[in-house]
Amino acid sequence: MATAVRTWLGECWYDTSLGLPYDSGIFNGASSIPLLRAQAEQAAMTVPGVAAAQCVLIGPRADRSVGGVIAVTLTTGETQSVQF
């Protein structure tokens, strides 16, 4: 899931529909954090076996980076968290 969230839209040559559109509005101001959170959750949901995903963002940090944690529930009922 961390890889799904860190992938730029179009970056995967085998499936250019995967990834987040970082260059098309995610980092354009105050509304970008909720947008990034929603898109990270949506990207996590594309991973096989994921039934639900909830993202908590950390940042922006002093170096302007953003990271976070995605809490996921798998189709088996197991829960896990993934940092990115």
Side-chain angles (χ1 to χ4, degrees):
M1 285 166 280
T3 301
V5 173
R6 290 181 175 175
T7 301
W8 286 74
L9 183 63
E11 182 177 23
C12 292
W13 58 269
Y14 60 88
D15 186 348
T16 57
S17 69
L18 298 175
L20 278 70
Y22 287 111
D23 59 347
S24 64
I26 289 180
F27 296 114
N28 286 346
S31 65
S32 63
I33 296 299
L35 175 61
L36 179 56
R37 183 181 310 114
Q39 289 184 340
E41 290 171 353
Q42 184 178 18
M45 294 295 295
T46 67
V47 176
V50 174
Q54 183 176 5
C55 178
V56 175
L57 292 176
I58 302 166
R61 300 177 184 116
D63 66 356
R64 297 179 44 175
S65 66
V66 176
V69 177
I70 300 177
V72 295
T73 302
L74 304 176
T75 54
T76 62
E78 181 183 356
T79 58
Q80 297 182 358
S81 64
V82 178
Q83 292 185 351
F84 64 95

